[in-house]
Amino acid sequence: METFIENKKVKAISTTEQMMWYLNAQNLVNTWNNFIIFAKTGEEQLVNMKDSGVFADDIDLIFDLGEHVLKFKGLLPDALEFYTQFVDGLKKQRYNIASNLEIVEFGKDYLRFNFRHGIFMGETLSFAGNNQCVMRKDGQRYYLSSAHIKALVFNTQHAY
């Protein structure tokens, strides 16, 4: 699994190719946000994520919740129990916001970027995190090969 790289310096976009990588990464994050707010069950969320093409079949997912770090390889079945526990009992409407991307590293065949997100359940900021993803390209398809989510706020008990 890829590790979170702490990097305070944001890389500048200096070529058209780098701009295409950036725009595709922004599109993938925006698409991901829709799965977070509309899925009614953890299984539905994971199936939608898998079918979307946004994520590699063998994506590395890391949720750093402070005292607990959860690591999953792939969407199904590895992450199913976690997503089921998290999503299935939610009663309040979810809203998700995400910051613009910050480029950490342009590689030969990948882009590493950070973004922040917040999920509101009802009127309350319930889950917020710093995220670092690695995006790769296969032919014309861009996809996320890893996502490392460091929780800053994890207060969801009011949403069940």
Side-chain angles (χ1 to χ4, degrees):
M1 297 209 168
E2 302 191 40
T3 58
F4 200 99
I5 294 177
E6 298 291 341
N7 190 337
K8 302 299 180 199
K9 293 190 179 205
V10 176
K11 305 294 184 211
I13 297 170
S14 58
T15 68
T16 304
E17 182 179 356
Q18 288 176 345
M19 177 57 78
M20 292 304 297
W21 279 85
Y22 176 84
L23 292 173
N24 277 284
Q26 187 69 58
N27 183 52
L28 294 180
V29 168
N30 292 342
T31 302
W32 185 3
N33 284 339
N34 289 326
F35 301 128
I36 292 170
I37 61 175
F38 293 121
K40 302 294 184 218
T41 67
E43 183 176 17
E44 178 185 354
Q45 183 168 332
L46 286 169
V47 167
N48 288 340
M49 290 169 70
K50 184 171 177 39
D51 291 348
S52 71
V54 169
F55 306 91
D57 288 339
D58 62 347
I59 187 169
D60 291 327
L61 285 173
I62 301 171
F63 293 91
D64 182 346
L65 305 175
E67 294 180 17
H68 303 289
V69 176
L70 305 169
K71 297 179 181 184
F72 304 107
K73 184 74 168 174
L75 298 171
L76 291 170
D78 286 355
L80 184 57
E81 182 179 350
F82 169 73
Y83 275 95
T84 296
Q85 288 177 354
F86 186 76
V87 176
D88 285 18
L90 293 174
K91 302 291 186 224
K92 294 190 176 179
Q93 183 67 36
R94 288 168 279 159
Y95 305 94
N96 189 44
I97 58 172
S99 71
N100 288 331
L101 306 182
E102 299 170 340
I103 305 303
V104 174
E105 180 180 12
F106 285 107
K108 182 178 177 186
D109 62 348
Y110 67 91
L111 171 67
R112 183 181 302 271
F113 62 91
N114 294 338
F115 71 97
R116 283 165 288 294
H117 80 282
I119 300 173
F120 290 81
M121 295 178 188
E123 300 289 320
T124 304
L125 177 61
S126 306
F127 187 85
N130 286 332
N131 309 292
Q132 186 168 99
C133 297
V134 173
M135 182 180 76
R136 298 190 183 278
K137 183 178 177 186
D138 182 17
Q140 297 300 309
R141 178 184 170 231
Y142 293 86
Y143 61 92
L144 299 179
S145 63
S146 70
H148 189 145
I149 298 127
K150 284 187 167 186
L152 301 174
V153 173
F154 189 49
N155 178 18
T156 60
Q157 59 270 24
H158 66 279
Y160 293 96

